[in-house]
Amino acid sequence: MNIGNLIYQSIHSIWGNKIRSGLTILGIIIGVAAVIALIGLGKGLQADVQSRLGALDASAITVRSQDPERPQFDRQAMGRGVMMFGEQADNALTVDDYQAIRQIEDVAAASPEAGKQIGVDIIKDAQTVSGYQVTGIDWQYLELKKITVVEGASLTEQQIESSESVALIGKGAAKELFPDDNTFVGKTIYIDNEAFEIVGVIEGPETDAANMPIRIRSTDPSDSIYIGYKRWLELAEEEKLPTIVLTAIDEKSVAAVASAIETLLLEAHNIDDRDKADFGLMVNQDILNTITGTASSFAVTLAWIAAISLIVGGIGIMNIMLVTVTERTREIGLRRAVGAKTRHILVQFLTESVLLTLIGGALNVVLAILFGQYIGEIVNFGSGGRGFGRNASEVKPLIDFPTIALAAGISVVVGIVFGLFPAIKAARLDPVEALRYE
Amino acid sequence: MSANIIELKNVKKTYRSAGGATTQALNGIDLTIKRGDFVAVMGPSGSGKSSLLHIMGLLDQKFEGTYRLDGENVSRLSNDQAAEIRGKKIGFVFQQFNLLRRTSVLQNVLLPTVYQPLPNAEFRALEVLKMVGLENYIESLGNELSGGQIQRVAIARALIMNPSLLLADEPTGNLDSKTAHQILEILREVNEQGTTVILITHERELARFAQYTIQLKDGLVEK
């Protein structure tokens, strides 16, 4: 029994029941299209999440002061990458802590990040009501935060160490304070009524922040003012720092560095129980892993949903093949009489069900590409991809060759799995019974 | 080559219903049919004609006794062994449902060659179709033919593998007498060319076409 003859007979039989075959194929088309579209969507989602997280530095660590009673960062939750923003705690990190952290092996760069809303104006005693975020930093801060100097120069280590009254000003803040000017270096601003000379104008990295529907002004470097951290402590009348930001030399060293910082600070602060620590560590890598993990488990969930619709399609195949076997009982008897062995009958009905699913699989590849893009559009619209006028990256379903190959593979597998029982039933028919069947 | 195509010794067939009741269809048949014979098997309904045909045609392997076909013991065959011998040595013509609908006459005749190779199968198909007078109908579909034509196609299909035995189970049951006579003429021709023909019928008039008649009653051969 050759393959050509098998396929000819199967097509003949499928064509002989056009409506029934068409509806069965439709079930498979929907099932396989759902698999391709949802897997594609899942992949697109992962790609989107990864591109959005691209700006997040995986080697970055943030050390923040934390109220031991009301942790801002839940340390247990931290491992799962959950951030908890609680109330502002008292500053707990000393300059010595900072200097010690700098000495830890594999720390690439570190800086305090001591921010406070302070009144800023261009004339003394201006009774300024609204303030600017004035942040105390060390010389590596700009590098850590990917902030660029657009005019003048950054703060030098010397200027910071000797608490000089010099400042970096964000481009936006500069424009607001000096609306009529285009250059700002050398100008004087009054922070809390103390005179500071602008030595540089800075601009933050391009992030989604600028496009956020709700613009968080204070977090945008372009709207902030930076001074040396020692000068900041004087100005803010603080002894300790709220936050220290740093990066490890690479992603692999993050865990070791974070652990070293924890040990160092617990000892320096004389704390035995790490659950009572007055500081918290936020590791970007954990967050990245969690978000990426969430995206991929979402993709897996989508794949399962798709699999269910495929199973429904498969049951349709099985159902129709059982009907076919019953209808063709006498034909089976006749074939057995003229010499067909059990395996001939088995292969014939299996071929028919696989052919049905393969036709479905082939048709759906085109449909799934359209269907998938359509789903992508719905998702983007639903997520506000257009609503706020932001140029956020869109979720694009990825229909690639492996997905198509998968669809074809799935079609064949569904055809075999769900066609097997009816085919076995056909093959096991007793020739005498089959010939007598009315 | 054995002179006897069929030798049945003490063949019994018992049917068991789902409830456990048993029916004895064949009660110990002893029967020898010589190669080249044209035999009619007659008997009233329930006499065991069909059971005997199924056993002789190797469609039913569940019987007691011995059956030698062409000198070969075929009493205890597996389903697939039986299928292979059927395909090579036995041709069938049934009373009804003999053809695949929506399938051409040629393809119907070629059906046995799907399962066992035959060199120049199409040439042979045309040869047997010519023999039954349907050489001009090769592209017609099974459902476009008259009852007589259908049986002629069935005879052609039964002959394509050049079997030594042709079993015809009430082949004219659904036909008018004129057409029935035509079919039997063809069977006689087939027999004249050397094929053993066993005709199951309940019409005495048709049995006259055979060389002799075996009468069955209550699962036994009437002497």
Side-chain angles (χ1 to χ4, degrees):
Chain A
M1 196 172 187
N2 63 50
I3 292 170
N5 193 289
L6 266 176
I7 293 173
Y8 169 81
Q9 288 190 25
S10 299
I11 290 175
H12 197 269
S13 161
I14 290 168
W15 190 247
N17 293 296
K18 288 181 208 65
I19 294 176
R20 181 205 289 178
S21 303
L23 289 173
T24 311
I25 288 169
L26 189 64
I28 289 299
I29 289 175
I30 292 169
V32 180
V35 170
I36 297 185
L38 291 181
I39 286 177
L41 187 63
K43 281 187 186 175
L45 205 69
Q46 276 177 289
D48 178 61
V49 165
Q50 262 149 18
S51 79
R52 278 169 194 252
L53 293 180
L56 209 53
D57 187 350
S59 59
I61 300 172
T62 306
V63 187
R64 282 187 68 165
S65 304
Q66 159 177 286
D67 185 340
E69 302 304 317
R70 307 185 65 170
Q72 292 174 40
F73 299 119
D74 180 338
R75 201 173 284 102
Q76 299 305 312
M78 271 309 301
R80 302 190 296 273
V82 178
M83 285 180 288
M84 296 187 57
F85 294 100
E87 285 173 22
Q88 183 68 47
D90 292 339
N91 293 353
L93 304 165
T94 65
V95 173
D96 285 346
D97 289 342
Y98 167 59
Q99 294 301 347
I101 286 170
R102 285 192 71 90
Q103 301 308 313
I104 290 173
E105 203 187 341
D106 292 343
V107 170
S111 167
E113 187 181 54
K116 201 169 193 181
Q117 286 287 119
I118 303 178
V120 176
D121 215 319
I122 55 170
I123 48 166
K124 204 170 157 59
D125 296 328
Q127 302 294 318
T128 307
V129 181
S130 70
Y132 284 86
Q133 182 77 5
V134 177
T135 307
I137 59 170
D138 203 352
W139 59 281
Q140 281 177 318
Y141 185 79
L142 267 55
E143 175 197 332
L144 280 165
K145 293 289 174 177
K146 299 185 177 70
I147 294 169
T148 47
V149 178
V150 292
E151 190 197 335
S154 181
L155 302 177
T156 64
E157 205 177 346
Q158 168 64 30
Q159 285 168 334
I160 294 165
E161 283 304 313
S162 51
S163 286
E164 281 183 34
S165 295
V166 287
L168 298 173
I169 187 164
K171 215 172 154 187
K175 271 277 173 201
E176 261 178 25
L177 288 165
F178 304 98
D180 302 329
D181 292 302
N182 286 320
T183 58
F184 312 99
V185 171
K187 293 189 185 299
T188 302
I189 51 171
Y190 293 87
I191 304 173
D192 204 15
N193 283 325
E194 292 189 36
F196 280 75
E197 186 195 347
I198 296 173
V199 293
V201 181
I202 52 111
E203 200 174 48
E206 283 240 359
T207 61
D208 271 357
N211 300 313
M212 284 287 184
I214 303 159
R215 198 164 161 202
I216 306 162
R217 208 180 114 112
S218 63
T219 62
D220 191 341
S222 194
D223 293 320
S224 300
I225 290 162
Y226 296 95
I227 61 176
Y229 74 96
K230 289 197 170 165
R231 186 73 184 86
W232 183 90
L233 288 171
E234 294 168 11
L235 193 76
E237 291 171 354
E238 295 275 1
E239 300 206 325
K240 292 178 180 175
L241 300 159
T243 306
I244 295 165
V245 292
L246 64 138
T247 54
I249 52 166
D250 55 32
E251 292 176 29
K252 280 177 286 183
S253 347
V254 167
V257 169
S259 155
I261 291 171
E262 189 177 57
T263 313
L264 183 143
L265 293 180
L266 287 174
E267 204 184 304
H269 297 189
N270 280 322
I271 299 165
D272 297 331
D273 183 359
R274 64 200 290 267
D275 288 334
K276 297 225 167 77
D278 54 357
F279 63 91
L281 290 175
M282 186 172 92
V283 181
N284 275 3
Q285 212 169 47
D286 291 346
I287 299 165
L288 282 172
N289 289 345
T290 305
I291 296 175
T292 316
T294 306
S296 72
S297 61
F298 188 61
V300 169
T301 308
L302 286 180
W304 274 110
I305 293 170
I308 289 168
S309 57
L310 197 65
I311 289 169
V312 173
I315 291 169
I317 290 279
M318 190 188 276
N319 200 10
I320 223 66
M321 289 311 295
L322 283 172
V323 170
T324 302
V325 169
T326 306
E327 268 185 1
R328 288 161 65 186
T329 299
R330 298 185 66 150
E331 178 194 323
I332 294 164
L334 182 63
R335 287 178 184 275
R336 293 299 305 273
V338 301
K341 296 179 178 172
T342 47
R343 68 161 192 276
H344 291 132
I345 303 294
L346 183 88
V347 170
Q348 186 190 336
F349 282 91
L350 261 188
T351 306
E352 206 170 308
S353 63
V354 169
L355 206 64
L356 272 176
T357 54
L358 256 186
I359 293 169
L363 284 175
N364 84 65
V365 168
V366 177
L367 288 174
I369 290 168
L370 304 172
F371 191 47
Q373 279 172 350
Y374 182 60
I375 284 186
E377 281 175 26
I378 294 171
V379 169
N380 287 321
F381 192 75
S383 74
R386 294 167 194 163
F388 297 104
R390 60 184 189 146
N391 58 350
S393 53
E394 288 183 15
V395 179
K396 293 191 188 83
L398 294 175
I399 310 286
D400 45 14
F401 178 74
T403 313
I404 290 170
L406 184 72
I410 288 171
S411 305
V412 173
V413 170
V414 166
I416 291 173
V417 167
F418 290 93
L420 196 60
F421 174 65
I424 289 174
K425 201 180 166 217
R428 284 194 178 158
L429 282 173
D430 178 53
V432 173
E433 296 294 323
L435 281 166
R436 274 194 193 141
Y437 187 84
E438 304 260 344
Chain B
M1 196 188 274
S2 166
N4 295 332
I5 183 109
I6 285 175
E7 289 172 47
L8 295 175
K9 280 207 179 85
N10 197 24
V11 166
K12 294 178 182 171
K13 174 70 189 177
T14 311
Y15 291 101
R16 277 186 181 76
S17 72
T22 57
T23 314
Q24 194 80 13
L26 298 177
N27 278 317
I29 301 264
D30 290 310
L31 183 63
T32 304
I33 295 171
K34 288 195 177 64
R35 183 180 301 283
D37 281 358
F38 186 166
V39 190
V41 177
M42 289 196 68
S45 183
S47 60
K49 298 193 299 288
S50 291
S51 299
L52 184 62
L53 175 111
H54 292 145
I55 290 169
M56 289 194 296
L58 295 179
L59 291 168
D60 184 358
Q61 276 79 245
K62 292 171 194 146
F63 61 91
E64 291 169 60
T66 19
Y67 175 18
R68 297 182 84 82
L69 174 69
D70 228 354
E72 191 185 346
N73 190 338
V74 292
S75 313
R76 304 285 175 269
L77 297 179
S78 74
N79 284 339
D80 283 353
Q81 285 171 325
E84 191 159 347
I85 297 175
R86 277 199 303 272
K88 283 179 186 158
K89 292 191 170 177
I90 306 171
F92 290 93
V93 180
F94 300 106
Q95 181 176 358
Q96 52 190 354
F97 196 83
N98 256 317
L99 300 191
L100 302 180
R101 292 165 55 79
R102 294 190 297 260
T103 302
S104 72
V105 164
L106 182 65
Q107 290 301 325
N108 265 294
V109 173
L110 285 170
L111 189 62
T113 68
V114 169
Y115 305 109
Q116 43 264 316
L118 180 71
N120 301 318
E122 294 215 3
F123 180 80
R124 172 68 183 155
L126 289 173
E127 209 172 62
V128 288
L129 277 168
K130 206 167 182 177
M131 197 173 155
V132 298
L134 286 176
E135 66 271 30
N136 295 325
Y137 290 82
I138 55 170
E139 289 307 323
S140 302
L141 300 182
N143 44 320
E144 294 169 354
L145 302 177
S146 71
Q149 286 170 327
I150 286 173
Q151 291 310 63
R152 284 194 275 163
V153 176
I155 293 168
R157 185 190 58 215
L159 294 176
I160 188 166
M161 297 305 294
N162 207 5
S164 35
L165 178 64
L166 192 148
L167 292 171
D169 186 7
E170 305 269 12
T172 59
N174 294 335
L175 304 178
D176 61 80
S177 67
K178 189 181 163 219
T179 318
H181 279 86
Q182 287 173 352
I183 295 298
L184 285 165
E185 283 299 341
I186 292 171
L187 288 180
R188 185 143 68 187
E189 249 176 78
V190 169
N191 174 248
E192 278 164 6
Q193 291 182 15
T195 307
T196 310
V197 176
I198 298 178
L199 169 70
I200 308 259
T201 182
H202 61 273
E203 290 179 69
R204 191 157 297 280
E205 194 215 337
L206 297 178
R208 289 191 289 112
F209 281 84
Q211 290 157 354
Y212 61 96
T213 299
I214 293 166
Q215 193 73 36
L216 285 187
K217 196 183 174 190
D218 299 331
L220 285 168
V221 178
E222 276 194 330
K223 300 286 174 186

